[in-house]
Amino acid sequence: MANSASGEGVAERIVRVLETFGVDRTVQTASEIGRRAGLPSSTAHRLVDELVRAGILERDDERRLRLGLRLWELAQRGSTALRLRQAALPHMERVQAELREHTQLAVLEREEALFLERLSHPEAVSNITRVAGRLPLHASSSGLVLLAHADPALRERVLGSPLRAVGPGTVTDARALRRLLGEIRRTGFAAAPGSIEAVSTGVAVPLRDRGSVIAALSAVLPRDAPIAPALRALREAAAGIEAGLRAARED
Amino acid sequence: MANSASGEGVAERIVRVLETFGVDRTVQTASEIGRRAGLPSSTAHRLVDELVRAGILERDDERRLRLGLRLWELAQRGSTALRLRQAALPHMERVQAELREHTQLAVLEREEALFLERLSHPEAVSNITRVAGRLPLHASSSGLVLLAHADPALRERVLGSPLRAVGPGTVTDARALRRLLGEIRRTGFAAAPGSIEAVSTGVAVPLRDRGSVIAALSAVLPRDAPIAPALRALREAAAGIEAGLRAARED
C-alpha cells in the first residue's frame, strides 16, 4: 500500500515525521521536518498537508507545525500504558509524598526502559529521566529490574552487546552485570548508585501482573541516602498497584 | 499522495483505524478494525500490517492488535499537552490532597473540552471524565470556562447550535448560557451544579499563559458542598501553574 520507490510504506514515513518532534523541538516548519526525516521536499510538504487534514499535526498562523492534540488523544485513549499509569498514579503519589524525591514508572520497550510516568518534588535531587523518555536497560535501576526479569534471549543479547557507561557507577562489565541481575532476582530490588548521575542512586522494584514482571517502580535518591525507607515505600506501593490491577481485571 | 478511490489520504485512513481503539476496546482483530473503520477487508489487513511494521500497532501471539507503546511515546514526547500537564501536576496534587475530590485539567479541542489529566481520590464523588476523555463545552464547568474565554466566533457557533442536556442541571437555553458565560468572565470561575451528573458540582477556573486562557482547572465536588474552599485551592494552584509556565519560558 502506497509504497515509495524505496519500498517504505506511508505509515513508516509518518512515524519518521513524528520522530522529528521531541521535548526540545515541539515546533517546526515543513521544510525542517522534511530535512530531519530525510524526505524529499515535495513529499514532505504533501505528507505534512495530509497529516494536518487528519489532525495529527497542527499548523499555526505562521505556518509552523506542531503535534496535534488529536494524536495525543488517540494514543492515550486506547493505550495499555494509560491503564497501568492510572492504576499506579495514586500509589506513586503516596511514595512521592513520603520520600519527597522523584518517583517513576517504567516499562520495557524495544530493549530500553521507557518511562511512563514521573512525579517530581521541587527539592528532589537531579534526575535526567522524562515522561516518555528512555534509558538503557543496564544503566538505570528500573532498566536493571526489567532486564533481570526479561526474556532470557533478550537478556543474553544485552549482555553480549557493548555496555555503554552513562554515569560513573554504570556497570559495564558483562560478568559483573550478570551477577548483579541474579542478585536483583534474588533480593527483589535493584539499587544503582551513580549509574546514571554521580549525585544520585536509583532504587527500583518489579511490578507484577498475572505472574509476570510488567513494569518497574523506582525512586531517585541522593547518592548517600539510606535506601531502606525508599525500598519499603516502593514495595508497599507495588503491592497496592498489583492489587488494583487484579481488581480491575475482576470488574 | 497515496489516495484511495474516495480521495481520502492514508493519514486519514490511519486515523480512522486508530479511532476504532478506545478505553473499552484496547484489543481487536484486523477484521474488526476494518469493519469498525469502514475499510474493505484487504485494505484493512494491508494497512494493519504496515502499522505493525511501523510500531504504531502491536500484534500479540493470538494475532490480536493493540495500540503500540511507540505511538504513545511519539505523541507524548513532542506534545504541548505534556508540557502543560507536567507544569500543572504538582499543583493539581496539592489541590487534590486538600480537597480529596477529583481534580482535572482540560483544554479546548475541536469545540469540546478535552481532559489532559485527572487525579482521583478513592472516596471522591462520582465523575464520568477520563484522561483523554471529552465533554461538551456548555455542560462541564471546565468547558464553560473555556467557552467563556474562547474566540467569539466559536462561542456564537456553540450558542447557535442545539445545546444537549447531559445532566439535570445542564444549561440548555442559549440566552441563559450567554448570561452565564458573561458572569464567568466577570467572576473568574464557573460552577456547574448537576450539569454533568445529578450528584456533583463542577467548579473550574481559567489558566492563562501570555494573557490568553489556555486551559481550565477544575474540581468535582458533592452537589451541596460549599464551593469557596475548592475555589480558593484552584485559584492558588492556577497562579502556581501560571508562574511555572512563565519561568519555563524564561529558562
Side-chain angles (χ1 to χ4, degrees):
Chain A
M1 143 168 308
N3 283 338
S4 66
S6 65
E8 184 190 48
V10 177
E12 283 158 294
R13 285 206 296 261
I14 290 175
V15 166
R16 270 164 65 199
V17 165
L18 298 180
E19 282 173 341
T20 66
F21 290 87
V23 178
D24 300 315
R25 195 194 291 145
T26 56
V27 181
Q28 301 179 86
T29 65
S31 304
E32 286 166 347
I33 292 172
R35 202 174 58 245
R36 290 178 178 130
L39 294 172
S41 171
S42 60
T43 307
H45 279 82
R46 270 201 315 271
L47 189 53
V48 161
D49 284 346
E50 205 189 304
L51 290 169
V52 169
R53 273 199 306 278
I56 291 182
L57 295 182
E58 286 169 8
R59 182 145 38 200
D60 65 19
D61 298 342
E62 296 160 50
R63 297 190 60 78
R64 294 177 316 170
L65 298 143
R66 58 182 77 226
L67 294 183
L69 267 175
R70 185 88 186 106
L71 175 68
W72 176 86
E73 182 186 4
L74 289 169
Q76 197 73 8
R77 253 191 354 196
S79 87
T80 46
L82 178 61
R83 296 198 158 191
L84 175 56
R85 181 198 164 272
Q86 287 294 98
L89 196 54
H91 301 277
M92 292 177 68
E93 280 161 14
R94 220 162 297 150
V95 172
Q96 204 226 358
E98 194 182 323
L99 301 181
R100 307 175 79 83
E101 301 289 351
H102 306 281
T103 308
Q104 319 177 128
L105 178 69
V107 294
L108 179 64
E109 218 280 322
R110 302 198 172 192
E111 312 207 354
E112 290 182 297
L114 173 65
F115 287 83
L116 297 185
E117 187 54 274
R118 185 200 61 178
L119 301 181
S120 294
H121 189 271
E123 289 144 39
V125 293
S126 169
N127 177 10
I128 65 168
T129 64
R130 287 171 156 158
V131 175
R134 289 168 172 265
L135 283 175
L137 288 175
H138 70 281
S140 59
S141 62
S142 299
L144 286 167
V145 161
L146 295 169
L147 186 59
H149 296 278
D151 184 75
L154 165 63
R155 199 155 55 232
E156 292 309 316
R157 248 191 336 272
V158 172
L159 284 163
S161 49
L163 298 164
R164 181 171 66 89
V166 177
T170 315
V171 175
T172 55
D173 176 71
R175 285 178 55 190
L177 179 57
R178 190 183 294 277
R179 269 198 310 276
L180 179 59
L181 295 176
E183 202 180 300
I184 291 167
R185 280 190 298 273
R186 252 188 336 272
T187 59
F189 76 98
S195 180
I196 296 290
E197 295 183 279
V199 295
S200 61
T201 294
V203 181
V205 302
L207 258 184
R208 287 185 172 79
D209 193 29
R210 308 175 196 242
S212 302
V213 171
I214 56 159
L217 191 67
S218 63
V220 182
L221 310 178
R223 175 69 175 259
D224 298 317
I227 66 164
L231 193 54
R232 201 161 46 236
L234 289 170
R235 281 180 163 156
E236 202 179 298
I241 298 167
E242 289 170 354
L245 292 171
R246 270 195 307 276
R249 245 201 335 273
E250 284 152 17
D251 263 357
Chain B
M1 144 165 309
N3 285 337
S4 67
S6 65
E8 186 190 47
V10 178
E12 283 158 294
R13 285 206 296 261
I14 289 175
V15 167
R16 270 164 65 199
V17 165
L18 298 180
E19 282 173 340
T20 66
F21 291 87
V23 178
D24 301 315
R25 195 194 292 145
T26 56
V27 182
Q28 302 180 84
T29 66
S31 304
E32 286 164 347
I33 291 172
R35 202 174 59 246
R36 289 178 179 130
L39 294 172
S41 171
S42 61
T43 308
H45 279 82
R46 270 203 314 272
L47 188 54
V48 160
D49 283 348
E50 205 190 304
L51 290 169
V52 168
R53 273 199 307 278
I56 291 182
L57 296 182
E58 285 169 9
R59 183 143 40 200
D60 66 19
D61 297 342
E62 296 160 50
R63 296 191 60 76
R64 294 176 316 168
L65 298 142
R66 59 182 77 227
L67 294 184
L69 267 176
R70 185 88 186 107
L71 176 67
W72 176 86
E73 181 186 5
L74 289 170
Q76 198 73 7
R77 251 189 355 195
S79 87
T80 47
L82 177 62
R83 295 198 158 192
L84 175 56
R85 182 198 164 273
Q86 287 294 97
L89 196 54
H91 300 278
M92 293 178 68
E93 280 161 13
R94 220 162 298 149
V95 172
Q96 204 226 358
E98 193 182 323
L99 302 182
R100 307 174 79 83
E101 302 289 351
H102 306 282
T103 307
Q104 318 177 129
L105 178 69
V107 293
L108 178 65
E109 218 280 322
R110 301 199 173 192
E111 313 208 351
E112 290 183 297
L114 174 66
F115 287 83
L116 297 185
E117 185 55 274
R118 184 199 61 177
L119 301 181
S120 295
H121 189 270
E123 290 144 39
V125 293
S126 168
N127 177 9
I128 64 169
T129 65
R130 286 171 156 158
V131 175
R134 290 170 172 263
L135 283 175
L137 288 176
H138 70 281
S140 59
S141 62
S142 299
L144 286 168
V145 160
L146 296 169
L147 186 58
H149 296 279
D151 184 74
L154 165 63
R155 198 153 57 231
E156 292 309 316
R157 243 185 347 266
V158 172
L159 284 164
S161 49
L163 299 165
R164 183 172 65 88
V166 178
T170 316
V171 175
T172 56
D173 176 70
R175 282 177 57 189
L177 180 57
R178 190 184 294 277
R179 269 198 309 276
L180 180 59
L181 296 176
E183 203 179 300
I184 291 167
R185 279 190 298 272
R186 250 185 341 269
T187 59
F189 77 98
S195 181
I196 296 291
E197 294 184 280
V199 296
S200 62
T201 294
V203 181
V205 302
L207 258 183
R208 287 185 172 81
D209 193 29
R210 306 176 197 240
S212 302
V213 171
I214 56 160
L217 192 67
S218 62
V220 182
L221 310 178
R223 175 70 174 259
D224 298 317
I227 66 164
L231 194 54
R232 201 162 45 236
L234 289 170
R235 281 180 163 158
E236 201 178 300
I241 298 167
E242 289 170 354
L245 292 171
R246 267 196 308 275
R249 245 201 334 273
E250 284 152 17
D251 262 359

